[in-house]
Amino acid sequence: MENNVHTVQIPGAIKSFTMDAASLGTGMAFLVGELEKRDPKLYEPLTSTTWARDIVAQTGGGWVEFSSNYFVDYATTGANQRGIIGGQTTAIPTLQANVTKDNWKVFTWANIVKVPFVDQQKLQGIGRSLDQIYDKGLRLNYNKALDQNVYLGFSEFGTEGLVNNSNITASMAANNAGETSRKWKDKTPDEILNDINTAITNAWANSGYDVDGIPNHIGVPPQQYAYLVGTKVSLAADKSILNYLLENNIAKANGVDLEIVPMRQLINAGTGDNTDRMIAYVNKDDKVTFDITVPLSRVLTQPSVEHMAYLSAYAGQMGQVKFLYTQCVEYVDGI
C-alpha cells in the first residue's frame, strides 16, 4: 500500500506531518488529528519576582512626582548637659528640635496592550483567551520592573536599591582559620555564623544598641543559600547549616526572629571582581520601604479601526527604595 504521508524535519523541533490530496480523501486528516495528544496548558517563561518578600511597600498617594519623609533630631543648649539642677547648679538646658525633609523620586510605569480582533476570535474558537494571555504578560512585566526598582534601582535615573546603596557600610567577610579564603564554601559552620553575627552586631551597635535596629532579614546569593540548606553541620548531625544559623544567631538571642533568604541580585554585587554580597537589614516599613502611589491600573481603552484591534493603556507609579535608617543595614562582601 502506497504511503501518502510525508514527514518534514524542522530544525530544533520534532517531526511533523504534511498530507497530500489523497490523504485528505482517505480520512488520514481525521486520524492524525485524533492521534495527537494536545496539552491544554500554556507554558510561560521561567521567571519569578521576590520583591514582596524582601520589602514592605507603602501604597496610596495618587499621581505624584515625589514622595517625602520628615526626620527630627533633638538637642539641648546650655552648659548643664544632663539637666540636673540643685542648690549649686541653676543652669537649665533648653531643648531644641531640628526637623528636616527628604524627597524621593517616583516613576510612572506604563504599557499598552494591543488585542487584534481577528486573533481574539481565532483563539476563542480553540478555548483560549488572548486577553488573559496578555494580562499575565503585562503583570509579569510590571513585577519585573518592581524587582529591578527594589533590588538595584534604575541607574539611568540615578537611583539605587536594596543591594547596592552607596550610603550603606560594606565590609569584607573574615578569612577562614587557614587565612586562605573568605568564601562560605571554605568555612566551618561556626565561621559562617561569625560572619552573620558580626553583621548583625555591627548594625545593632550603629543603631545605638536599640533592639529595633537588630536585623531580622538576611539575603545571600542562591549558591550560598543552597550550600547552607544542603550541607549538614557535621557528619554526625541531623541538621543543616541553615538550621544551625537560625537557631544560634545573636538576633534570636535578643528575641528577634531571623530570616535568611536567597537573592539572585546579590551575585557579584560586592566590591571587586566576581565578589558576592550578603545583606543584613531590618525588614520593616519604618526602616526601609518604597511607595506604590498608584497600583497597576487600566487607565484607557479604545477600539482602533486602523489596526482592527482594541488598545488598552495600563499605568502605575512606583517610588525608589528609601532607607529611612541606614544604621541598621550592613553589607558583607566576599562570601
Side-chain angles (χ1 to χ4, degrees):
M1 178 177 177
E2 184 180 356
N3 187 356
N4 293 316
V5 179
H6 308 290
T7 61
V8 177
Q9 181 63 43
I10 302 173
I14 62 172
K15 291 183 179 181
S16 60
F17 297 97
T18 60
M19 294 169 287
D20 55 19
S23 300
L24 295 173
T26 58
M28 183 61 73
F30 170 77
L31 287 177
V32 172
E34 286 294 301
L35 295 176
E36 175 186 354
K37 180 181 181 296
R38 292 183 59 214
D39 187 347
K41 179 178 177 62
L42 187 63
Y43 292 89
E44 298 180 277
L46 291 174
T47 186
S48 65
T49 57
T50 56
W51 65 267
R53 179 198 64 192
D54 297 326
I55 195 171
V56 180
Q58 300 277 8
T59 58
W63 297 95
V64 298
E65 292 189 5
F66 299 95
S67 64
S68 62
N69 292 88
Y70 289 91
F71 301 86
V72 61
D73 292 321
Y74 300 108
T76 58
T77 59
N80 185 4
Q81 178 183 359
R82 305 299 179 188
I84 305 299
I85 64 172
Q88 298 180 0
T89 305
T90 58
I92 302 177
T94 301
L95 179 68
Q96 292 184 331
N98 178 38
V99 178
T100 59
K101 177 183 176 182
D102 283 352
N103 288 326
W104 311 87
K105 296 177 182 178
V106 173
F107 305 103
T108 299
W109 183 94
N111 268 196
I112 292 177
V113 173
K114 177 182 178 182
V115 182
F117 174 78
V118 174
D119 291 343
Q120 185 182 44
Q121 301 306 309
K122 287 180 179 178
L123 284 175
Q124 285 180 354
I126 61 173
R128 295 198 189 278
S129 169
L130 189 58
D131 289 314
Q132 187 178 41
I133 293 173
Y134 280 151
D135 183 73
K136 287 184 177 180
L138 176 83
R139 296 185 185 280
L140 175 61
N141 193 19
Y142 174 69
N143 278 292
K144 295 291 281 186
L146 285 174
D147 250 25
Q148 176 71 28
N149 178 52
V150 165
Y151 293 104
L152 300 172
F154 301 117
S155 58
E156 60 270 37
F157 300 113
T159 62
E160 299 167 323
L162 276 178
V163 307
N164 62 348
N165 191 289
S166 55
N167 295 316
I168 305 302
T169 301
S171 59
M172 297 300 295
N175 283 316
N176 59 9
E179 295 293 328
T180 59
S181 176
R182 304 180 191 273
K183 298 183 182 298
W184 281 1
K185 66 182 181 64
D186 300 321
K187 290 184 176 181
T188 65
D190 283 338
E191 289 172 336
I192 296 174
L193 178 61
N194 180 67
D195 284 343
I196 288 177
N197 278 340
T198 299
I200 294 173
T201 304
N202 287 344
W204 186 24
N206 293 337
S207 304
Y209 292 104
D210 185 342
V211 176
D212 285 341
I214 297 178
N216 65 354
H217 206 79
I218 287 181
V220 298
Q223 287 293 336
Q224 283 82 338
Y225 183 80
Y227 177 75
L228 298 180
V229 172
T231 308
K232 292 183 179 180
V233 176
S234 67
L235 294 177
D238 60 351
K239 67 175 61 177
S240 67
I241 295 178
L242 178 63
N243 289 334
Y244 173 72
L245 298 176
L246 293 175
E247 293 173 3
N248 296 279
N249 62 82
I250 192 66
K252 185 175 179 62
N254 282 274
V256 176
D257 291 329
L258 183 68
E259 185 176 12
I260 300 176
V261 299
M263 293 184 189
R264 62 183 179 274
Q265 294 83 2
L266 289 166
I267 301 172
N268 297 333
T271 54
D273 295 334
N274 300 321
T275 302
D276 292 339
R277 167 170 285 179
M278 174 181 76
I279 176 176
Y281 65 102
V282 181
N283 187 12
K284 294 181 180 179
D285 60 358
D286 61 346
K287 299 298 187 298
V288 58
T289 185
F290 81 108
D291 293 294
I292 300 180
T293 58
V294 178
L296 181 62
S297 308
R298 183 168 63 182
V299 294
L300 291 172
T301 298
Q302 71 173 24
S304 172
V305 176
E306 179 184 0
H307 297 95
M308 202 173 170
Y310 296 99
L311 302 177
S312 296
Y314 290 78
Q317 283 198 317
M318 64 185 74
Q320 70 179 106
V321 169
K322 303 185 286 189
F323 278 104
L324 303 177
Y325 295 90
T326 58
Q327 300 95 321
C328 48
V329 189
E330 188 84 6
Y331 292 150
V332 179
D333 294 345
I335 65 168

